[in-house]
Amino acid sequence: MPHRNARLTVFGRRLLVERVCSGRPVAHVAAEMGISRATAHKWIRRWRAEGEAGLHDRSSRPHTTPHRTAASVETRVCDLRQSRKLGPARIGPILGLPASTVHRILTRHRLNRLAWLDRPTGTLIRRYERERPGELIHVDVKKLGRIPDGGGHKALGRQAGRATRNNMGFDYVHSAVDDHT
């Protein structure tokens, strides 16, 4: 999703391509649209190579991560966390890794919170898990006192606020949260 002040959305890129395909120079179209020539050429090149799909936004996530921590090291980090209950600052020196890397590995494997582990066994605790949505619903009722016109006791004082508050009553807000995990 482009930011709200983006020069080119998908619609703007289509417009760019249409104007260039009608025979106008790329530099002129780029100047009209307030973008650089390089950006205009980039979108024209993508459109020629991929068609309509080339005008859509792409993920900025890299295809590969060549320097990612090896799976065997990640397994060792998880084992130390579950067996010894050590934190990133203690696991890092044991394995020769920075604490930030250890924390990232623990977060990836959902072991970053000691409270989520069973203390004696070190296994991940799942408090409950429901099969289908709607199987477990939390209902909460909140009671809200109505405030009269002119303010309540904070504005008028306890005695004055009491006189204007007769028969004001309460409003109730009901909320239901489906707890399918």
Side-chain angles (χ1 to χ4, degrees), residues 9 17 36-37 65 81 90 92 95 103 120 124 131 145 150:
T9 59
V17 168
S36 68
R37 286 189 341 228
T65 311
R81 176 61 158 202
R90 304 260 319 268
L95 300 178
H103 176 71
L124 186 63
E131 294 294 322

Side-chain angles (χ1 to χ4, degrees), residues 15 61 87:
L15 187 63
R61 182 175 183 224

Side-chain angles (χ1 to χ4, degrees), residues 21-121:
C21 287
S22 69
R24 305 200 46 226
V26 176
H28 292 198
V29 175
E32 289 172 359
M33 299 186 83
I35 59 173
S36 68
R37 286 189 341 228
T39 301
H41 280 288
K42 174 182 76 172
W43 289 113
I44 296 296
R45 196 171 41 251
R46 279 194 193 176
W47 178 77
R48 286 182 179 144
E50 302 173 30
E52 183 70 21
L55 300 179
H56 292 279
D57 292 322
R58 298 177 179 171
S59 172
S60 59
R61 182 175 183 224
H63 295 290
T64 61
T65 311
H67 298 292
R68 182 174 174 163
T69 308
S72 59
V73 176
E74 287 195 15
T75 304
R76 185 79 177 115
V77 168
C78 293
D79 289 343
L80 282 172
R81 176 61 158 202
Q82 291 177 319
S83 62
R84 295 201 209 165
K85 319 294 186 294
L86 300 176
R90 304 260 319 268
I91 294 174
I94 293 171
L95 300 178
L97 296 171
S100 59
T101 302
V102 174
H103 176 71
R104 195 174 311 117
I105 292 168
L106 293 174
T107 302
R108 188 178 308 133
H109 293 280
R110 295 185 179 164
L111 297 172
N112 56 319
R113 300 271 181 200
L114 274 176
W116 296 348
L117 297 178
D118 182 37
R119 294 288 181 181
T121 63

